[in-house]
Amino acid sequence: MHQGCLGCKYCWSHQGECVQKDDMEQVWTHLKEADIMIFASPIYWFDMTAQLKTVIDRMYAGGSTGFHFHQTALLLDAGADHVFDAAISQYKAMTSYLKWEDLGIICVPNMENKGSMKESSKLGEVIQLAKSIK
């Protein structure tokens, strides 16, 4: 389990190392080798999940050292339509600030039941994005 960023800036004086010792260290291991970062989240209450937001906040530590990856994409799904604006806004602000190349934003509404994605017209867009990354 990982906790939210403390805002202590320990990472800024310790080459991106976080003062907290938790499972975020495993996430960093993968982020240091990643060529691309796909942010994916269901929308439960007009924004990405708290779990993803916590990881993003903890990525603050990378602000002092930079990131290995420079390409990103955003995948969102929700049970309703027109609920994606907050997550998209945050993602666009983040990619702009960090000068990451946005490879695409895919929002999939009406995912009300487990397995709904198999029937979604947006599945093709997700597959195309995946193919473009290879």
Side-chain angles (χ1 to χ4, degrees):
M1 178 173 214
H2 53 271
Q3 303 298 315
C5 179
L6 300 174
C8 66
K9 293 196 175 186
Y10 177 91
C11 56
W12 286 77
S13 60
H14 292 86
Q15 294 75 45
E17 179 185 342
C18 184
V19 70
Q20 298 184 76
K21 304 302 176 203
D22 56 19
D23 64 359
M24 187 65 189
E25 292 179 83
Q26 294 173 9
V27 174
W28 274 115
T29 299
H30 296 291
L31 284 177
K32 288 177 183 176
E33 298 174 4
D35 293 325
I36 185 171
M37 176 69 164
I38 307 294
F39 296 94
S41 178
I43 301 293
Y44 296 136
W45 195 248
F46 301 99
D47 207 349
M48 62 186 67
T49 63
Q51 293 87 345
L52 179 56
K53 181 65 170 85
T54 300
V55 170
I56 290 170
D57 286 350
R58 290 287 295 277
M59 288 174 64
Y60 180 72
S64 66
T65 59
F67 295 91
H68 182 262
F69 62 88
H70 299 285
Q71 294 180 315
T72 63
L74 179 64
L75 303 176
L76 301 170
D77 77 322
D81 201 355
H82 307 294
V83 294
F84 302 103
D85 293 348
I88 292 170
S89 179
Q90 178 177 357
Y91 171 78
K92 285 182 175 182
M94 199 170 44
T95 57
S96 174
Y97 181 78
L98 293 167
K99 296 177 178 39
W100 290 338
E101 178 188 357
D102 169 33
L103 298 179
I105 298 171
I106 300 173
C107 299
V108 185
N110 306 316
M111 295 290 100
E112 296 176 3
N113 301 308
K114 185 175 182 176
S116 294
M117 188 60 167
K118 289 183 233 174
E119 307 301 321
S120 174
S121 62
K122 295 282 192 164
L123 181 57
E125 289 181 48
V126 175
I127 291 169
Q128 278 303 113
L129 176 63
K131 286 179 179 179
S132 73
I133 293 170
K134 292 182 180 181

